[in-house]
Amino acid sequence: MELRQLQYFVKAAETMNFTEAAAAVFITQSTLSQQIKQLEEELGMLLFDRIGKHVRITEAGHIFLTHARKILNDVQRSKQAISELQNATIGELNLGVSYAFTSLLLPALAPFSTKYPGIKIFITYGSPEELEKKLRLAELDMILAFHNESDDEDLEMQELFSSSVVMVVSKNNPLAQLKKVSPEELAKLDLILPGKGFSSRDFINDLFNRKKIVPNIKIELNDVHSLLALVENGHWATILNEKAIIGWNKVTAIPIESKDIKRQSYILWQKGVYRKRAAILFIEELMKVMDSE
């Protein structure tokens, strides 16, 4: 089994077209077909069903695709690790970020890119569960997320900071004068809430369920910037981690009367995997931004 065969197989699985896949990897269609056939013979199972001029990935192909991608990613990461020994300020950083981290992340990107112009950053947003899957497949180098503690043996969680879940309203909203708000009062307001994947949404769902309260939800969004823009210019209220409103000077946070209102944020790493120098440098820059807030 050769790396090039894995590359050909992955491209064919992505395109579902041998001719198109061959063109993408700069070989002839017959060469690609031959290499995939050799791979199938070595594995003892078909990876594709050939139906006339069309191909369809088999169950075995789906299983093998996950492992092939991980192998290719591991090879790429090993090459970058060696490259970093020669030059610590070049390479790629694949960063997974939960939605609530948007406001924290953006202030760190510009100074980091200016300081390390040779490092290219790829950012993937998602829920912690979605991002963890990508981390385990080596598609991400690390994750930034508000998260519950995990006992997964293959993940390492590095604490960043804790942040209270708060009600957020425009500074022009009369509610901005409140010192605190009860869950009962909160439920009566016109709410714009974050969607699934936000720790603050999980918190508020649990809070309302425990108190058997039905909130008055007007809009749900999984984009923090859009959500805060609506709150900033309207009469709505939202519920977010307090750190999520960093840089939003026209909104204010009101404490919610409840126990266990703090949420912990973490950096998640795949245990036992080489940590890129680019990832370590980015965390250093992120910590500087957070310390200045």
Side-chain angles (χ1 to χ4, degrees), residues 90-185:
I90 63 171
E92 294 181 357
L93 173 60
N94 293 284
L95 178 61
V97 184
S98 65
Y99 300 114
F101 252 86
T102 303
S103 297
L104 284 166
L105 180 68
L106 295 182
L109 289 175
F112 180 81
S113 185
T114 300
K115 194 172 183 179
Y116 304 106
I119 297 176
K120 188 174 182 179
I121 304 177
F122 297 90
I123 299 173
T124 300
Y125 283 96
S127 69
E129 293 76 15
E130 293 168 340
L131 297 175
E132 281 185 23
K133 290 180 182 178
K134 292 181 180 292
L135 183 64
R136 288 186 173 93
L137 292 172
E139 294 176 9
L140 297 173
D141 298 311
M142 63 178 180
I143 298 171
L144 302 177
F146 288 98
H147 203 283
N148 295 323
E149 287 196 59
S150 172
D151 58 359
D152 292 329
E153 295 182 355
D154 59 337
L155 296 180
E156 186 172 332
M157 302 178 70
Q158 178 183 341
E159 288 190 3
L160 270 177
F161 56 83
S162 61
S163 176
S164 295
V165 177
V166 295
M167 178 180 80
V168 180
V169 295
S170 167
K171 287 184 176 180
N172 295 325
N173 191 318
L175 296 171
Q177 305 306 315
L178 294 176
K179 299 299 182 183
K180 57 186 176 180
V181 63
S182 70
E184 290 78 11
E185 292 169 330

Side-chain angles (χ1 to χ4, degrees), residues 59-70:
E59 182 181 6
H62 278 294
I63 294 173
F64 189 64
L65 179 60
T66 298
H67 295 282
R69 281 174 168 161
K70 188 175 187 306

Side-chain angles (χ1 to χ4, degrees), residues 6-137:
L6 298 183
Q7 292 170 337
Y8 300 162
F9 163 69
V10 169
K11 184 57 66 176
E14 290 173 347
T15 61
M16 288 297 173
N17 185 299
F18 279 15
T19 302
E20 185 178 336
V25 294
F26 306 106
I27 59 174
T28 64
Q29 187 270 333
S30 59
T31 299
L32 183 135
S33 297
Q34 183 184 34
Q35 291 296 314
I36 290 179
K37 185 177 180 181
Q38 289 178 5
L39 190 58
E40 290 175 323
E41 290 174 351
E42 183 175 348
L43 293 170
M45 295 194 77
L46 289 177
L47 299 175
F48 295 98
D49 288 322
R50 283 77 165 174
I51 307 169
K53 294 183 178 180
H54 303 285
V55 295
R56 182 176 61 195
I57 194 166
T58 64
E59 182 181 6
H62 278 294
I63 294 173
F64 189 64
L65 179 60
T66 298
H67 295 282
R69 281 174 168 161
K70 188 175 187 306
I71 291 168
L72 293 174
N73 281 330
D74 285 343
V75 170
Q76 183 60 37
R77 289 165 73 137
S78 67
K79 289 179 179 179
Q80 183 161 343
I82 298 302
S83 175
E84 288 178 353
L85 292 177
Q86 299 173 319
N87 187 339
T89 58
I90 63 171
E92 294 181 357
L93 173 60
N94 293 284
L95 178 61
V97 184
S98 65
Y99 300 114
F101 252 86
T102 303
S103 297
L104 284 166
L105 180 68
L106 295 182
L109 289 175
F112 180 81
S113 185
T114 300
K115 194 172 183 179
Y116 304 106
I119 297 176
K120 188 174 182 179
I121 304 177
F122 297 90
I123 299 173
T124 300
Y125 283 96
S127 69
E129 293 76 15
E130 293 168 340
L131 297 175
E132 281 185 23
K133 290 180 182 178
K134 292 181 180 292
L135 183 64
R136 288 186 173 93
L137 292 172

